[in-house]
Amino acid sequence: MGRSYEPYLAEVLIDEEKLQSRVAELGRQISEDYESVKDLTLVCILKGGVMFLTDLVRHITVPHTMDFMAISSYGQGVRDSTGHVRIVMDLSADVRGKHLLLVEDIVDSGRTLEYITRMLKAREPAEIKICALLDKRERREVDIHLDYVGFEIPDKFVFGYGLDLDEYFRNLPFVGVVREGMYYHRD
Ligand code: IMP
Ligand code: MG
């Protein structure tokens, strides 16, 4: 991987200002919606959701806890999701009776979230809702309801703001489109 992201960047899709103002809006909306809810737990899906979560919670004014889960899809190095998902790191706490809000970077086929939701349901939380920063809706293969969406984006491979290019550049404060032909894998 080169030292700079610049050769990999075709265009900035969502700049820092747009991202931050939308994330703040989502935080305010979530705070309103969960005003009367006890036991809210934000479940961050690692690694991609980490930037989104840490910015989002600065705008959430209702009491909540955070937990983390790391997921990996099989078939790295391929463009299309195989639909198989593996838990690399599980939640640290029992979620029974809790209101879960899953915080995810991007929804593509929807298979990752479908899998996670199904698995978490078996642990009998009070409720599971989903907050995704990016939604590639035209790529959806399974029907999954997203309760909060930051931006709907076109079918382009993106990186930055939590999303990686071969594990690098998650720290970029914007979401950019990867230049055609550049090496990447997904996970
Ligand atoms: P899904 O299971 O097909 O919905 O894929 C969701 C996962 O694929 C996300 O959590 C991302 O890790 C990854 N992904 C999908 N599209 C992109 C992208 O454009 N850039 C980086 N990762 C992506
Ligand atoms: Mg990835």
Side-chain angles (χ1 to χ4, degrees):
M1 187 57 63
R3 298 201 65 77
S4 166
Y5 66 85
E6 281 164 358
Y8 305 99
L9 181 69
E11 54 162 331
V12 173
L13 187 65
I14 309 166
D15 67 23
E16 182 170 5
E17 201 186 319
K18 252 178 108 177
L19 269 175
Q20 291 300 332
S21 87
R22 183 70 185 124
V23 170
E25 225 169 67
L26 287 171
R28 284 192 293 270
Q29 184 67 56
I30 289 165
S31 303
E32 268 180 39
D33 296 350
Y34 284 87
E35 187 57 53
S36 60
V37 170
K38 284 185 207 124
D39 289 326
L40 168 61
T41 297
L42 301 183
V43 173
C44 179
I45 312 300
L46 296 174
K47 305 171 191 168
V50 71
M51 301 281 281
F52 182 33
L53 175 90
T54 53
D55 282 341
L56 183 67
V57 289
R58 287 171 230 250
H59 302 280
I60 295 184
T61 53
V62 294
H64 61 276
T65 61
M66 299 175 205
D67 211 340
F68 301 85
M69 173 175 274
I71 287 310
S72 171
S73 353
Y74 294 103
Q76 289 185 351
V78 292
R79 176 73 176 81
D80 290 304
S81 171
T82 54
H84 297 270
V85 174
R86 182 167 57 95
I87 296 174
V88 173
M89 188 190 89
D90 206 342
L91 299 174
S92 65
D94 188 6
V95 298
R96 187 182 303 266
K98 292 188 171 155
H99 287 72
L100 304 184
L101 182 59
L102 309 188
V103 178
E104 172 71 303
D105 54 355
I106 187 166
V107 186
D108 187 12
S109 70
R111 292 189 187 279
T112 304
L113 275 174
E114 187 198 40
Y115 176 88
I116 295 172
T117 306
R118 190 158 13 98
M119 186 207 46
L120 290 178
K121 255 188 198 147
R123 302 181 188 182
E124 302 180 339
E127 174 188 71
I128 302 176
K129 286 192 173 183
I130 297 173
C131 177
L133 179 70
L134 307 174
D135 180 8
K136 279 190 195 171
R137 199 162 300 171
E138 59 191 274
R139 299 255 310 161
R140 203 61 38 83
E141 291 168 19
V142 291
D143 189 26
I144 184 150
H145 176 72
L146 306 181
D147 300 279
Y148 304 93
V149 172
F151 303 88
E152 196 178 322
I153 64 166
D155 178 16
K156 290 179 174 170
F157 203 80
V158 293
F159 73 122
Y161 200 69
L163 297 133
D164 70 302
L165 193 56
D166 198 16
E167 288 298 327
Y168 286 83
F169 306 130
R170 293 188 196 274
N171 63 316
L172 298 177
F174 56 82
V175 173
V177 176
V178 179
R179 186 171 281 171
E180 206 65 48
M182 284 295 182
Y183 172 74
Y184 55 75
H185 78 239
R186 52 206 317 246
D187 134 34

